[in-house]
Structures are given as C-alpha cells and as structure tokens.
Amino acid sequence: MQAQEARTPALLPKDYKSDYKPIWCPGCGDYSVLSSITRALSELGVKRENAAVISGIGCSSRIPAYTSLYGFHGVHGRALALATGLKIARPDLTVLVTGGDGDGFSIGGNHFLHACRRNADLTYVVMDNQVYGMTKGQASPTTASQWEGSKLTPHGTGVSPFQPMAVALAAGANFLARGISSDPKGVAQLIVEAVRHPGFSFVQVLSQCVTYRPEQQEWRTIARPSHKEPTSNIARAGRRILDDDGFTTGIFYVGNRPAYLAPEETDKIVSDIEQRFMI
Amino acid sequence: MTAGQMLLDAAANAGYQGMMTRSLGPQIRGGEAAAFLRLSAHEVACPGDGVDILISFDWASTQRFSAEIELGPDSLVLFDPAAGAAPEMILNTGARMVDLPFKALLDDIEGGRPNMLGLGVLAGLIGLPENAVLAIVERALKRKGPKALEASSAGIRAGFEASAAMPATCRLGAGEKGARRWNISGNEAVGLGALRGGIRFVAAYPITPATEILEWLAPNLEHLGGELVQAEDELASINMAIGGSFGGIPTLTATSGPGLALMLESIGLSVASETPVVVVNVQRGGPSTGIPTKSEQSDLNIALYGLHGDAPHIVTAANSVSDCAFTAQWSVYLAEALQSAAIVLTDQLLGQTRAVVDEPANSGHVAARETAPAGLQDYRRYAVTESGVSPMAIPGTAGGEYVADGLEHSPIGRPSSQAEDHLAQLEKRQRKLDQFDYGDHWADIEGDGDTAVITWGSCTGPVHEACDRAREAGIGVRMVSLRLLAPMQTVKFAKAIKGVKRVLVVEQSHSQQFYRYVRAHFDLPKKVKVCARPGPLPVRPADIYEQIVNWS
C-alpha cells in the first residue's frame, strides 16, 4: 500500500489572491472573473508554487499581479506563446492564460489559431468585453460592425465581428466553454472543467466594460445557461455554436484529442552526440 | 554539392584541413549551385583569394557565379568542349583552358555521372590518394546498391586517369594525420555550443540560412531530454523561448535578419523581465528579404540598437566555423549568469560552410543561473543588488511566487511608474552587464606592431590570413577581432590598441556599421582606413593585405 501523502491544508480562494489593488473601474466584470479563477484554483487544490498565470497587455491581462501565483505579464498579444513555451518546458505546472479580446483575437490572433491546433495542455480564459479598455474605448475584433462609440471608427467598423468559439473549434481547440461575469460560480466551474480536461481549453467569458460599453450591463438579463449536454461531436458542436446568438453559456465541446506532449526520454549525453563530427 | 562534399571528406580522411562554402541560386530544388573548396595541410581560415582549378559542368550556370570566381593566368579551367565555346568573360581572365570531355569519357561507364568524373579529376590533380576518395564514395553510396557504387567508382577512376595528362597545378603537401579533427558546419557548431552550454528548449521558425541549426538541434535535443518546437512565427518563437526560460530551462531561438526584426519587441521583454534567452542571428544580405542565400554583416546595428527603450543586452559574434561552438556556448553562459538576452551573430558564410578543423574544445561554460531557494520570506525578485543580478525563483519554488513583467516594476515585481523605481531598475540592469568579468574572451588579439586591424565575425578569417602574410613580409601588425560587441569593453579595447599608429577596420557592410560603432566608443588614431564592403562577395585576404601594405 502506498504511504498516505502528507496533505497540506486546503487553500481558500483568498489564498490565491495578492494584496495588490486592481486598476479596474468599479463594476468591471474582470473582478468577478478574478474571483472565479481563485475559486477554481481552490477547488482544484493546486499548490500556489505549481501554477502560473500568463498574460499579455490589456485590462484583463493585469490579472497575474492580482494572484499569489507565479505569473508573467508579457507583451501585447503573445501570452499564448509565452505560456506554450512554459508548459512544454515545464509540463508539471498548471498553466492558465488570461487576457482580453483585443490581445487574444487581434494582435494575438495567429497565436490563438496555433495554440488551438497545437493543443498544449493550457487553459485560456478570455474576458471578452468587445472593446479596448486600456486605450480608452476603441472597437475590438468582437465589436459589432455598426458600433459607433469610438472616435477611431465614427461610422462603425463595418467589419464582421470575430467569432472566437467557431474559430477555436475549427482550429482544433479541445474544450470550449462560455460563461458570463455575472455568474462567478458558473465561470469558476467552467475553469475547473477546463483545467481538468487535457489539451487546449478555451473559456470565453462575457465580461462587461461599464466605462466604454455601459449597455453591457444588460448582458446579465440576456445570457442564459445551455440545457444541452456537452458534446464530443465536432459537427454538432459547430452547429450549436453557429446557431447561437453568443449569449448561451456552458460547455459547448469536449474533444478527445491527446494533448501535445514533449518526448521525455534521455538516451545520450552531449559527448555522445559530438562523436559524429569526428573524422 | 555532393562531389564537393566527398572531396572535402576524402581530404579530411587523408589528414588535410579545409572548408567548403556553397553558393546557390534562388531555386527551391536543383538550379545552379557552386561549391568552393579550399584544402591545405594547415589550418584554413577563410575562402582563398583566387581559384586554382575550376570545373564547369555547364557554362550558363558557371557564368551566374562569375563574380565569385576569381580566375587568373595560373588558374586551370576544365570544361567539356561539347558544351560549347567558353564565354568571353572566362577567356579574358587568361586562365588555361583544359579539355575535359565528360561525355566521351563516360561513354563506356553505365550510369556514370559527370560529377564523379570531375571529383576524380580534381582529386588526381591536387594529389589526393585514389583510395581515400573511393573509400568516401563507398561509404556515401552504400545504401544505393552495388550498381550505383560501381558506376561512381568507375567515373572517379576515369577522372584520375584523365588528370594524369593535364597540366600540373598546385598540389597538396603531406597531410598530418593523428590530430583530433572534426568535420562540422558553422550552423551545426552553433547547435553543439548551445547544447554544451545547457540549452534544453528551443522554439524557432524556419528561415534561410539559419534552418540547419534547428534541423540539427531537433533530434539531438530529444536525445538529451529536451525539446524543439516549430513555432507559428518568430513572434511566437521568442516568446516561447522566454516562457520556457521563465520555467527555469535554458532556452534559445535561432533566426536570420527578418526574423530578428520581428523578435525585437520581445527581446526587450527578456531584458526588462530579466528572463535569460539566447537569440542566434545567422546574418544574410539585407534589408528586407535581401539576399537570403548569401552572407553580409549588416545586422550589427539592429542587434546593437534595435531594442526600444534603454535595454542593455549582450551581443556576441562568432569569428570562425569552429568558434561558432565556443561563442554559442559562452553566450548561453552569459545570458544565464546575467539574466538577460544574448544576441549571437554569425552569418551565412560561417553557418553554411563545412570545415575540417581541429576539435573545438568544450570551454566548460555551462548555464548557472542564480536561483532563489525554497521557503523564502518576503522574496524580492528584482531586489537591487550590488552586482545587479538578483536570485530568480523558478516556478515550483514555494515562497518565490512573483510576476515577471515587461512593465517597469518595483523590487518585488509590482508594476511601477515611479521615477525612483525606473532609475533603480535601469541602473541595476546596466550594472550587471558592466560589472561582469568577461575575461579574455571579449576579443581575439594576435600579433604586435604599429598597425592594428580591427574586425569581427566572418571577416576575421581573411584578416587573420592577411596579417600572417604581412608579418611574413616583415610588417608588424596586430589583429583585434571582437567577440563581445556589447557591452563594449572600453578599457580592454583601449589597452589592445595602445601604441598603435594606424588602424584598419574591416567589415562586410555598406554603411560602415562596425566602424561607426567602434568610433563611437574610441578616439582612434588619426590614420584610419575602413574596408567596408557589402555582401555577397566574400572579403578576400589579398584585399586586406593590400590595404595593410599600401598605407596611403
């Protein structure tokens, strides 16, 4: 029989928070997502030193500093690449990636596609508020084409919004879910499932921007949980995503692709490798 | 290319040293290609001044390389008269034209190929033993079956026979066997140096002429329990490398000019967050897509000055094929010890040249990052220390949890826009580079005299050879080849050129990038000459010798 592992006392959600005060506006949805993340970590029982939160640039990308975990607040758009490197080099760590719609789908769009494809065991939580908050309210890739709220695009963007769930499914993500910041417990549960599922897990969280998109406070009244069971059938998941108005929450897809794994065998030392250069 | 490679291998087995550089057209497969070999009983530091023997397999292709083929009255040009008359530009060089009727000679050999015939002729002319060549061919063609081997061997024997009737040309002296010799390319040497230094994770995107580094590293990293990831682009490559390094594993990416340009923002992230990373840049002709298959030293400015903000980092340069191993290994050590980014410059000439050299010694430099132990109280990741280096906590270390940040930060790693924090962290990041003891590796210095030749990278080979010739002619000359370009070693450099009255700066760039950089740090003597030429033509020893001898 195996010896019982010495159990550390379970950490509470607040143990995963730092004492650093967020820069967010009062009423921002990201406060709630931060709580969901710490709640999920507590439920997962992850040791603080064995988890890392990786982000790029933007309001929601500030999250690493508000946790008590290891973190990396990198450059704009490259969070998934940083996280991929970390996860492949250190497969023993639990790696979360957090960020916004601009960081993930615009400047980081290519990395989003390839992170889905590569299927490294990461959980990517995107706080989608359909606006660039940190630069004071410009249209983002998920902004509706007719939104005229920015001086940069006074007649609306005239461009179809990016469909993160559909794109992620097509690109090969292994787990797809959507939540809303007005339901922190629900989001926490999605994150728990996402972390537990192997491979690349994508959680889109509708997270209101009270400052530049005050109308988003209505989101809580529009959003509703899905009553359907999560599917592993990609065509069914695709139909559900494309038929949806973007306000159904829940798990849309649970794939069974094996996660990207680095080979772990070591069968040589450097001086063995050098032999082939000898004449 | 195959025949060239076999000739080099045969010479290596017979105890000679040498190198093979290659020049290719832009074709994806096939197309024109030229292999330039220089063989000797002694060390070969660079391509030579001129061509002793040229074999032209067809005139159209040969002409495309005419600027790179320096012919003179002492050169032999072997060609098949059936391929048409020699072009004017070849005849005008005064080279001796020698008939080599490929078709006629291969008539009786089933499956016989011109390149094997050419290989036999060349080997015969320079005095390589026939057995040495045949042994190499046998090794290379083992898998292709006895028929292919017999055809090639017969071609080589016919070549040897034909060479006996040809005019005498330069012949190799006696080779020296016994020494530990390697057959290695610069790109492979970079990969080996990286592994010796402790690199165990690489993320990169394919680009000419750096790809061979990656192709060599991918399987060999696996043998060592490491991993290479082919990233979606260079933006991802550098960030993956930084992410892996944050995880405590020494990491590297390799690229060429356009890729380096894409990586710059994130190299700044490595500097600001003090996460070590090694970036190898195998330079090619620029700007923009430039000349991907040919060499130039014109990425010096971007490597030195490309980062935004005040971002002190390390820039090193390999100065020979075998030094690619040392410089890469040393750079891993520096990046890790200093928790900063190290940009390692090589170029197409070094990277894609295959050389037979004395075994590049393992310098013993190994990644040794200063890390924080577990169980710390009030850990301060960016503590302002005297050396400028602060212990780095690696994920998994309890009590060390911190956030690495590209934002300016306080000593505990919280974002800060305070003047006091900015100044303290700027000075810390500068100080750790300035105070470090780089030992004697910062430059290779040879000889003594009134004249100094200052150079770097692949120009070092021809400069070294030119200086040797000058010394033989009784002219005292000192060579200073900088391996550490940043931080510039001002005190050591001043000492190295002390007493010198004349300075010649040699580099392969159009805008004198290196000269301007050196000039920015030093008051050079009044007599300064700059030999700055763009690629793709190689810098030749004779050109430099001329500049040393005729000082005007």
Side-chain angles (χ1 to χ4, degrees):
Chain A
M1 220 173 100
Q2 266 188 316
Q4 183 92 26
E5 245 186 85
R7 282 188 70 93
T8 40
L11 295 176
L12 300 171
K14 68 176 173 57
D15 297 323
Y16 294 95
K17 273 193 185 152
S18 75
D19 55 2
Y20 191 42
K21 190 175 171 299
I23 57 163
W24 300 323
C25 310
C28 176
D30 295 351
Y31 285 102
S32 146
V33 183
L34 173 59
S35 294
S36 302
I37 290 171
T38 56
R39 192 190 292 253
L41 289 165
S42 172
E43 183 170 339
L44 289 160
V46 181
K47 285 186 183 173
R48 275 194 297 238
E49 65 270 26
N50 292 340
V53 186
I54 312 297
S55 70
I57 295 295
C59 300
S60 50
S61 293
R62 290 283 184 139
I63 277 189
Y66 308 145
T67 73
S68 58
L69 309 165
Y70 279 94
F72 208 132
H73 183 216
V75 301
H76 196 21
R78 317 291 164 224
L80 286 172
L82 265 178
T84 301
L86 176 60
K87 182 67 191 180
I88 294 173
R90 288 290 306 277
D92 57 309
L93 300 174
T94 299
V95 181
L96 297 178
V97 191
T98 58
D101 37 305
D103 186 71
F105 308 142
S106 192
I107 189 168
N110 194 36
H111 309 306
F112 180 54
L113 293 181
H114 291 277
C116 292
R117 272 185 69 217
R118 194 173 282 113
N119 204 31
D121 191 11
L122 301 170
T123 296
Y124 185 31
V125 180
V126 173
M127 282 144 268
D128 189 349
N129 58 8
Q130 304 177 356
V131 76
Y132 284 93
M134 194 155 267
T135 50
K136 318 282 184 244
Q138 295 78 30
S140 89
T142 49
T143 304
S145 65
Q146 71 279 12
W147 183 69
E148 294 177 354
S150 165
K151 283 186 220 165
L152 205 57
T153 49
H155 313 295
T157 64
V159 179
S160 295
F162 187 86
Q163 303 290 327
M165 299 280 271
V167 170
L169 182 73
N174 214 29
F175 178 97
L176 292 174
R178 182 188 293 129
I180 182 160
S181 61
S182 54
D183 173 23
K185 279 187 187 166
V187 172
Q189 207 46 51
L190 295 177
I191 294 171
V192 167
E193 298 294 326
V195 170
R196 285 189 178 141
H197 195 70
F200 186 78
S201 300
F202 173 54
V203 182
Q204 179 194 23
V205 183
L206 304 172
S207 178
Q208 64 192 9
C209 174
V210 292
T211 302
Y212 299 105
R213 304 298 304 266
E215 71 279 14
Q216 290 174 349
Q217 292 179 63
E218 297 303 310
W219 276 359
R220 67 177 65 209
T221 62
I222 310 168
R224 64 333 235 176
S226 168
H227 298 296
K228 293 179 180 154
E229 284 296 303
T231 179
S232 60
N233 181 306
I234 197 161
R236 195 170 302 148
R239 267 197 306 280
R240 281 183 58 189
I241 288 166
L242 292 172
D243 285 345
D244 190 66
D245 64 353
F247 287 97
T248 303
T249 60
I251 299 171
F252 282 74
Y253 177 67
V254 181
N256 43 29
R257 265 200 319 138
Y260 182 98
L261 271 187
E264 278 182 39
E265 255 171 81
T266 304
D267 59 356
K268 283 188 182 172
I269 56 171
V270 178
S271 53
D272 297 335
I273 291 170
E274 295 180 1
Q275 292 307 310
R276 63 157 293 243
F277 294 122
M278 290 279 278
I279 290 165
Chain B
M1 288 297 139
T2 311
Q5 179 71 55
M6 287 175 172
L7 187 62
L8 183 68
D9 291 350
N13 278 0
Y16 297 99
Q17 301 188 57
M19 58 168 54
M20 180 177 114
T21 58
R22 53 189 209 177
S23 198
L24 304 170
Q27 294 82 2
I28 307 302
R29 263 195 99 86
E32 71 269 12
F36 297 87
L37 277 96
R38 191 179 186 202
L39 302 171
S40 169
H42 311 286
E43 181 203 358
V44 174
C46 60
D49 289 322
V51 169
D52 297 307
I53 309 168
L54 166 71
I55 294 193
S56 169
F57 290 96
D58 84 84
W59 287 125
S61 297
T62 305
Q63 275 179 280
R64 296 207 191 204
F65 297 104
S66 56
E68 294 164 58
I69 304 169
E70 297 261 343
L71 294 169
D74 294 333
S75 314
L76 290 190
V77 176
L78 316 183
F79 71 108
D80 191 340
E88 285 285 290
M89 58 201 304
I90 301 278
L91 294 173
N92 288 345
T93 62
R96 280 186 294 172
M97 307 300 289
V98 180
D99 286 358
L100 178 58
F102 289 113
K103 253 205 165 137
L105 289 168
L106 289 168
D107 225 16
D108 299 335
I109 303 170
E110 200 190 326
R113 287 166 38 199
N115 65 344
M116 291 298 112
L117 183 78
L119 171 59
V121 171
L122 272 178
L125 280 172
I126 62 174
L128 271 186
E130 192 170 319
N131 288 342
V133 182
L134 290 173
I136 288 296
V137 174
E138 193 174 333
R139 196 180 71 191
L141 297 182
K142 223 185 299 173
R143 274 180 303 166
K144 294 206 169 173
K147 232 178 162 180
L149 178 60
E150 188 34 49
S152 292
S153 304
I156 286 161
R157 281 193 293 267
F160 265 92
E161 233 167 81
S163 74
M166 290 182 182
T169 175
C170 58
R171 285 175 77 85
L172 290 167
E176 285 173 49
K177 267 202 166 173
R180 288 170 70 87
R181 292 267 169 77
W182 280 20
N183 185 335
I184 192 168
S185 76
N187 278 342
E188 289 170 343
V190 163
L192 176 64
L195 295 185
R196 280 175 166 181
I199 294 293
R200 291 297 180 270
F201 178 74
V202 173
Y205 187 75
I207 186 168
T208 305
T211 310
E212 295 94 352
I213 297 177
L214 313 173
E215 289 174 339
W216 187 84
L217 276 171
N220 288 309
L221 271 165
E222 272 189 35
H223 286 309
L224 300 175
E227 168 79 347
L228 180 142
V229 178
Q230 182 176 332
E232 54 269 31
D233 56 29
E234 286 90 348
L235 306 166
S237 311
I238 179 70
N239 279 284
M240 286 182 185
I242 293 170
S245 175
F246 172 72
I249 309 295
T251 62
L252 170 146
T253 183
T255 188
S256 188
L260 180 65
L262 284 174
M263 290 181 186
L264 290 174
E265 182 195 15
S266 297
I267 297 176
L269 175 65
S270 152
V271 172
S273 68
E274 304 197 49
T275 312
V277 71
V278 178
V279 180
V280 179
N281 178 33
V282 186
Q283 300 167 96
R284 62 192 217 185
S288 190
T289 314
I291 311 179
T293 53
K294 298 190 181 183
S295 210
E296 202 166 71
Q297 292 183 310
S298 49
D299 290 347
L300 177 63
N301 280 352
I302 188 181
L304 291 169
Y305 307 117
L307 308 188
H308 62 280
D310 290 315
H313 59 286
I314 302 150
V315 181
T316 58
N319 63 19
S320 71
V321 170
S322 101
D323 187 57
C324 285
F326 172 78
T327 294
Q329 181 175 7
W330 187 50
S331 303
V332 175
Y333 165 75
L334 293 180
E336 290 282 326
L338 294 167
Q339 296 181 18
S340 191
I343 300 177
V344 182
L345 297 174
T346 72
D347 58 28
Q348 182 274 336
L349 182 65
L350 294 176
Q352 296 191 326
T353 289
R354 177 161 290 286
V356 177
V357 291
D358 289 332
E359 174 179 343
N362 185 331
S363 67
H365 289 106
V366 177
R369 198 183 297 182
E370 196 183 330
T371 55
L376 290 167
Q377 298 293 319
D378 303 321
Y379 172 60
R380 294 157 79 84
R381 165 67 183 105
Y382 300 107
V384 177
T385 60
E386 206 174 317
S387 70
V389 176
S390 14
M392 181 173 178
I394 306 301
T397 309
E401 298 84 358
Y402 77 101
V403 176
D405 209 322
L407 280 171
E408 190 56 281
H409 36 257
S410 66
I412 60 166
R414 292 275 163 78
S416 169
S417 52
Q418 299 299 310
E420 188 192 341
D421 284 329
H422 187 42
L423 183 63
Q425 294 295 321
L426 282 172
E427 288 186 344
K428 163 193 197 307
R429 295 190 290 258
Q430 185 68 57
R431 187 163 66 241
K432 65 183 181 179
L433 265 62
D434 288 347
Q435 289 186 353
F436 193 77
D437 181 6
Y438 300 90
D440 292 334
H441 304 304
W442 70 281
D444 284 349
I445 303 168
E446 294 171 4
D448 225 330
D450 285 352
T451 304
V453 186
I454 301 168
T455 192
W456 73 286
S458 65
C459 282
T460 304
V463 165
H464 165 83
E465 191 167 326
C467 289
D468 272 355
R469 285 187 213 171
R471 283 179 211 115
E472 276 166 31
I475 301 167
V477 59
R478 185 178 306 172
M479 181 192 86
V480 181
S481 166
L482 269 66
R483 183 177 290 105
L484 183 67
L485 295 164
M488 180 56 111
Q489 300 298 289
T490 46
V491 175
K492 288 175 179 170
F493 186 91
K495 205 173 148 203
I497 60 162
K498 199 173 169 200
V500 161
K501 295 199 174 70
R502 289 177 295 270
V503 163
L504 171 65
V505 177
V506 181
E507 62 178 302
Q508 199 179 27
S509 86
H510 184 252
S511 58
Q512 306 186 333
Q513 296 183 11
F514 180 62
Y515 164 66
R516 286 161 198 263
Y517 181 60
V518 171
R519 193 61 203 264
H521 285 84
F522 303 101
D523 286 329
L524 295 172
K526 274 197 181 136
K527 290 183 178 169
V528 176
K529 276 201 296 191
V530 184
C531 174
R533 288 205 314 222
L537 296 184
V539 173
R540 304 215 184 256
D543 304 336
I544 301 165
Y545 178 73
E546 186 71 16
Q547 302 245 20
I548 296 171
V549 175
N550 299 315
W551 200 280
S552 57

